[in-house]
Amino acid sequence: QVQLVESGGGLVQPGGSLRLSCAASGSIFSIDDMGWYRQAVENKRERVASIMSDGTTNYADSLKGRFTVARDNAKDTLYLQMNNLKPEDTAVYYCYADSTGWGPEYGSWGPGTQVTVSS
């Protein structure tokens, strides 16, 4: 399985934007399912968005319209564009890559990148 490293997190004011990147150590062309989860302090990890190898995307209902997931197979990189950020978006964001077909929990995960939304 590939190794993943997230980047692009940081401190942003409410209403601002960030783009997270997730770089893979190898080709992601054949990886069926890639995506993002997040975990806020004292909360369980929650699904943010996913994108399949055919480009099909899926989002958490509460995030539709603000977050956009994309993948660049040529660069072996997954992205998460986050707009109109809110304080409740503060969390550690993790990317995953699942080539097993059994679900994200069986795939590779990055170490996470902190996103803090605060004025």
Side-chain angles (χ1 to χ4, degrees), residues 3-104:
Q3 294 182 323
L4 305 172
V5 178
E6 303 93 340
S7 61
L11 174 64
V12 62
Q13 293 186 340
S17 298
L18 281 177
R19 188 177 79 157
L20 305 184
S21 299
C22 172
S25 61
S27 174
I28 66 170
F29 179 80
S30 62
I31 296 177
D32 287 336
D33 181 13
M34 300 188 71
W36 297 88
Y37 276 67
R38 68 183 184 183
Q39 186 168 16
V41 175
E42 297 183 355
N43 287 358
K44 66 179 183 179
R45 193 172 292 193
E46 64 173 343
R47 186 180 67 87
V48 173
S50 62
I51 182 167
M52 307 302 286
S53 57
D54 65 359
T56 302
T57 57
N58 194 279
Y59 297 91
D61 288 342
S62 61
L63 301 177
K64 288 179 181 177
R66 294 196 299 123
F67 287 18
T68 303
V69 62
R71 59 193 287 172
D72 187 333
N73 291 339
K75 295 183 178 179
D76 297 320
T77 302
L78 177 73
Y79 301 98
L80 183 68
Q81 177 68 42
M82 305 184 294
N83 298 327
N84 189 23
L85 284 162
K86 304 176 181 180
E88 52 264 41
D89 295 319
T90 295
V92 178
Y93 284 71
Y94 301 89
C95 65
Y96 73 87
D98 174 34
S99 57
T100 68
W102 296 341

